Amino acid sequence: MSKQTGPLAPVGLSADAPCCPPLAEQRLPAGTAAVLAPAFKALGDPVRLQLMSMIASAEGGEVCVCDLTPAFDLTGPTISHHLRTLREAGLVDAERRGTWVYYRARPALLRQLAALLTVVPATARRECP
Amino acid sequence: MSKQTGPLAPVGLSADAPCCPPLAEQRLPAGTAAVLAPAFKALGDPVRLQLMSMIASAEGGEVCVCDLTPAFDLTGPTISHHLRTLREAGLVDAERRGTWVYYRARPALLRQLAALLTVVPATARRECP
DNA sequence: TGTCAACCTAGATGCATGTCTAAACAAACG
DNA sequence: CGTTTGTTTAGACATGCATCTAGGTTGACA
């Protein structure tokens, strides 16, 4: 295969569940767990968590790889590998424009993960307006 | 991160940040990433994600291990290993009462992870109090 | 006290992952 | 057309992890 192995894995359920399937409210089906666990796993590395943060918080919504690489004491290929992991998890998206490649976050899946983790304990219920 | 790598690592920053340090708003410091990444990694396995859901959604806030084990096609030791992983990540807490061991969720860290993932798109900015 | 059940620990094994170097590919520039 | 720079792929190596079987610990109960 000359091109890509897993370009933009569409995750399968990001489209129809935009906001709130909370984890603490009912037992997670095995299928959903199998789909979402890889996303958590992708965030389970300090380097990738920082990369994700740098991409998500970037001005204009995107970052050049050339700005990401020098922020770590790692080689270019290693950063590229971590970016690919984030890409295959559906957390980011890449686009080449001329010499440089730009990464941007995919908020749909991020929102889904956040909603899943949202715990609303009965003792101290707290709502965002 | 100069603490211990031990069993119930108190995560070190769960107490003072109750609500909203969003990932997409500023770059995550390396230290914070190193502390939070293990929690995401712990959730990065389908079995543990389901265990976490079963614990967090349990009636009365706790579950007996004897109710968790038969829900999977895995041996007892394997379930115990996964529960230990969740425990060492600070996501759950265990207590022995008589013959059985009960697990309950620790909402502080869960809230922190959820807040971190909260994406605040510029089009619909949303602020917590 | 002895025995049984629930749960955990120890050690082994095969697969996955993080990192590197070397090399390939892509785009710009002389 | 060749060279230089940015980025990804390929392959290798060491470490980590999910799972198992076997054995240990704890508590209840006759």
Side-chain angles (χ1 to χ4, degrees):
Chain A
M1 54 181 63
S2 54
K3 263 303 185 62
Q4 70 282 60
T5 52
L8 299 176
V11 173
L13 54 79
S14 57
D16 44 6
C19 182
C20 296
L23 175 146
E25 221 150 81
Q26 65 179 19
R27 183 180 157 187
L28 197 65
T32 307
V35 169
L36 294 182
F40 283 117
K41 182 191 270 189
L43 294 175
D45 181 280
V47 172
R48 286 196 293 267
L49 199 51
Q50 279 186 274
L51 283 170
M52 191 68 226
S53 168
M54 293 175 73
I55 295 169
S57 68
E59 308 245 336
E62 60 182 16
V63 204
C64 174
V65 175
C66 59
D67 288 331
L68 296 173
T69 304
F72 299 87
D73 267 348
L74 294 171
T75 63
T78 298
I79 296 296
S80 180
H81 159 73
H82 285 305
L83 288 173
R84 165 146 87 168
T85 301
L86 290 174
R87 221 187 319 146
E88 291 179 349
L91 289 165
V92 301
D93 210 347
E95 183 194 357
R96 171 162 226 141
R97 285 205 304 277
T99 306
W100 292 283
V101 175
Y102 296 87
Y103 277 78
R104 58 176 59 235
R106 303 182 129 225
L109 184 50
L110 281 176
R111 256 194 297 270
Q112 204 173 130
L113 299 182
L116 196 78
L117 295 182
T118 296
V119 177
V120 190
T123 60
R125 177 165 295 223
R126 192 166 189 179
E127 294 183 3
C128 287
Chain B
M1 59 201 72
S2 52
K3 269 293 185 68
Q4 74 277 54
T5 55
L8 297 177
V11 172
L13 53 79
S14 58
D16 44 6
C19 181
C20 296
L23 176 147
E25 220 150 78
Q26 64 180 20
R27 184 181 157 186
L28 196 65
T32 307
V35 168
L36 294 182
F40 283 116
K41 182 190 273 189
L43 294 174
D45 182 280
V47 173
R48 286 196 294 267
L49 199 52
Q50 282 187 91
L51 284 170
M52 190 69 227
S53 168
M54 293 176 73
I55 296 169
S57 68
E59 308 247 335
E62 61 183 16
V63 203
C64 174
V65 176
C66 59
D67 287 330
L68 297 173
T69 305
F72 300 88
D73 268 347
L74 294 171
T75 64
T78 299
I79 297 296
S80 181
H81 158 73
H82 284 306
L83 288 173
R84 167 146 86 169
T85 302
L86 290 174
R87 221 185 321 143
E88 291 179 348
L91 289 165
V92 300
D93 211 347
E95 183 194 356
R96 169 163 226 142
R97 283 204 306 277
T99 305
W100 294 282
V101 176
Y102 295 88
Y103 277 78
R104 59 175 59 236
R106 303 182 129 225
L109 183 51
L110 280 176
R111 255 196 299 271
Q112 204 172 126
L113 299 182
L116 195 78
L117 294 183
T118 296
V119 177
V120 190
T123 60
R125 176 160 294 225
R126 195 170 186 185
E127 293 184 6
C128 284

